[in-house]
């Protein structure tokens, strides 16, 4: 049901559940400066530290999935996020704070180009873009790639990512896009672990 992401008790309960599940990373949806997802991020990071949770955090940069933010906007957002990157609870790769970037169906080389230009001003940030057709040969390579596809049982993009989904049923639709199947999910998880993918 609905819950308040700024509620300390809710944050602590979710942290406890994620620790119980042995999660190492959580990715928080981030819709831009001043949005509720932005305002709740610092309390979530603070509670993670206060509870001594080993969990690390990153964000999913959602504005890219809703349009084409300019390089200037990306740079402004990364500048704005710098204080959050300083939290010990922020995920780092080789000492660099990690940012995952969503993409829409029309994103491609233009997205990679804009993020490469922003990355030139922020070489200390580790950027993980969402894959698209032709991503592997794009001259503007980010630090890594990932896929977001919960309606697909598995999606493999080695060495970058190996994504599996337990199932997906959109609340507004009469039937699941991907039915839950525990044996299939267990097999997919085993394959993902064996792949040694980065994500």
């Amino acid at each position: 049901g609905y819950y308040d992401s700024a509620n300390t008790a809710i944050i602590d309960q979710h942290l406890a559940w994620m620790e119980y599940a042995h999660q190492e990373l959580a990715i928080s949806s981030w819709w831009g400066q001043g949005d509720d997802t932005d305002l709740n991020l610092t309390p979530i990071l603070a509670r993670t530290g206060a509870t001594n949770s080993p969990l690390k955090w990153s964000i999913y940069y959602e504005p890219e999935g809703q349009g084409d933010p300019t390089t200037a906007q990306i740079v402004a957002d990364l500048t704005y996020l710098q204080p959050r990157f300083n939290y010990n609870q922020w995920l780092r790769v080789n000492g660099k704070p990690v940012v995952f970037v969503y993409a829409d169906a029309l994103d491609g080389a233009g997205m990679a180009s804009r993020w490469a230009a922003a990355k030139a001003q922020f070489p200390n940030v580790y950027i993980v873009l969402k894959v698209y057709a032709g991503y592997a040969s794009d001259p503007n390579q980010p630090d890594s790639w990932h896929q977001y596809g919960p309606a697909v049982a598995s999606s493999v993009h080695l060495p970058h990512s190996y994504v599996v989904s337990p199932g997906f049923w959109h609340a507004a639709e009469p039937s699941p896009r991907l039915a839950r199947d525990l044996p299939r999910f267990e097999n997919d998880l085993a394959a993902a672990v064996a792949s040694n993918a980065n994500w």
Side-chain angles (χ1 to χ4, degrees):
Y2 292 107
Y3 58 86
D4 181 356
S5 295
N7 182 295
T8 299
I10 295 292
I11 294 170
D12 289 354
Q13 179 64 74
H14 286 192
L15 289 171
W17 283 335
M18 288 187 280
E19 187 169 351
Y20 175 77
H22 301 285
Q23 279 187 236
E24 297 175 338
L25 165 66
I27 303 173
S28 181
S29 182
W30 191 83
W31 288 89
Q33 300 179 32
D35 183 82
D36 284 346
T37 57
D38 172 51
L39 300 177
N40 291 335
L41 185 57
T42 297
I44 289 170
L45 290 166
R47 286 307 302 164
T48 305
T51 60
N52 295 314
S53 170
L55 190 73
K56 299 297 182 185
W57 286 90
S58 183
I59 60 162
Y60 210 13
Y61 186 91
E62 302 280 5
E64 187 65 62
Q66 306 301 313
D68 294 327
T70 63
T71 298
Q73 182 61 56
I74 296 168
V75 167
D77 286 340
L78 292 176
T79 301
Y80 174 82
L81 287 164
Q82 287 292 312
R84 318 292 179 71
F85 295 160
N86 292 329
Y87 276 82
N88 289 333
Q89 292 71 35
W90 200 280
L91 176 70
R92 288 174 176 75
V93 172
N94 299 326
K96 299 178 180 182
V98 178
V99 172
F100 289 84
V101 181
Y102 191 53
D104 62 40
L106 300 178
D107 277 321
M111 171 187 67
S113 176
R114 287 183 283 104
W115 279 89
K119 168 83 172 171
Q121 297 182 53
F122 282 92
N124 65 319
V125 178
Y126 190 98
I127 303 297
V128 187
L129 296 182
K130 185 178 180 295
V131 299
Y132 62 88
Y135 78 93
S137 60
D138 194 304
N140 292 304
Q141 290 290 307
D143 295 290
S144 193
W145 297 93
H146 76 283
Q147 177 59 297
Y148 176 82
V152 177
S154 62
S155 183
V156 184
H157 301 277
L158 297 177
H160 305 291
S161 69
Y162 196 123
V163 180
V164 300
S165 176
F168 183 78
W169 191 339
H170 193 286
E173 296 173 357
S175 60
R177 294 186 195 177
L178 176 65
R180 289 181 182 260
D181 179 336
L182 185 58
R184 186 268 309 156
F185 184 52
E186 289 175 338
N187 288 336
D188 289 345
L189 281 175
V193 170
S195 76
N196 290 316
N198 294 332
W199 304 108

